[in-house]
Amino acid sequence: TSWPGQNDGGETWHGYRGTFTKQGVSLIYNLKSIRRDLFRMRVPMISIHDVTDKTVPFENQGIIKKETYTESLFIETNMPTTSINTHHSLLMYYSTYRTLMDDIIEFFRKTSI
């Protein structure tokens, strides 16, 4: 099954087909410890989130922003609500890819990795 209108680039989207089952369960199982240890992060970090994300609540970016103390870039996008995609994997969409990649590259050029 494919959903041709799922991506804004016109290509056919075939979904993940269950390839992230183990990773998803692992992430859910460890969410409490991940959140508890956010303050320990010491590497530069980028958090990109759309305010209308249909997969992960946008409020999560605020939690990460509040609880991390590392060199960070927080990018908020606001895709049109008329778009039928999930507004989640933002680097997958032509409408957001170029701008986000430019921001990511510039951030890592400036950071002290």
Side-chain angles (χ1 to χ4, degrees):
T1 303
S2 67
W3 300 274
Q6 191 71 10
N7 294 330
D8 60 6
E11 69 278 9
T12 301
W13 169 244
H14 295 285
Y16 295 116
R17 300 180 189 215
T19 58
F20 293 111
T21 304
K22 289 181 184 178
Q23 295 88 337
V25 170
S26 174
L27 177 64
I28 290 168
Y29 179 78
N30 290 292
L31 278 177
K32 285 182 184 179
S33 62
I34 291 169
R35 182 170 181 182
R36 182 187 64 234
D37 292 337
L38 280 173
F39 76 96
R40 295 176 188 252
M41 187 178 296
R42 297 290 181 258
V43 296
M45 176 194 69
I46 299 174
S47 175
I48 304 169
H49 210 130
D50 191 83
V51 297
T52 56
D53 188 326
K54 297 171 187 167
T55 304
V56 175
F58 178 72
E59 293 76 25
N60 285 6
Q61 188 177 47
I63 293 168
I64 294 168
K65 189 182 242 183
K66 179 182 166 192
E67 297 184 14
T68 55
Y69 303 99
T70 189
E71 189 172 2
S72 305
L73 173 63
F74 292 91
I75 300 173
E76 297 175 7
T77 60
N78 192 359
M79 295 181 81
T81 55
T82 55
S83 176
I84 65 169
N85 63 51
T86 63
H87 305 197
H88 182 66
S89 298
L90 297 173
L91 292 174
M92 186 171 77
Y93 307 122
Y94 288 121
S95 63
T96 54
Y97 170 80
R98 177 56 49 210
T99 302
L100 292 175
M101 284 307 298
D102 290 346
D103 291 344
I104 291 167
I105 291 167
E106 183 62 23
F107 174 75
F108 284 114
R109 279 191 183 135
K110 293 179 180 180
T111 59
S112 52
I113 307 177

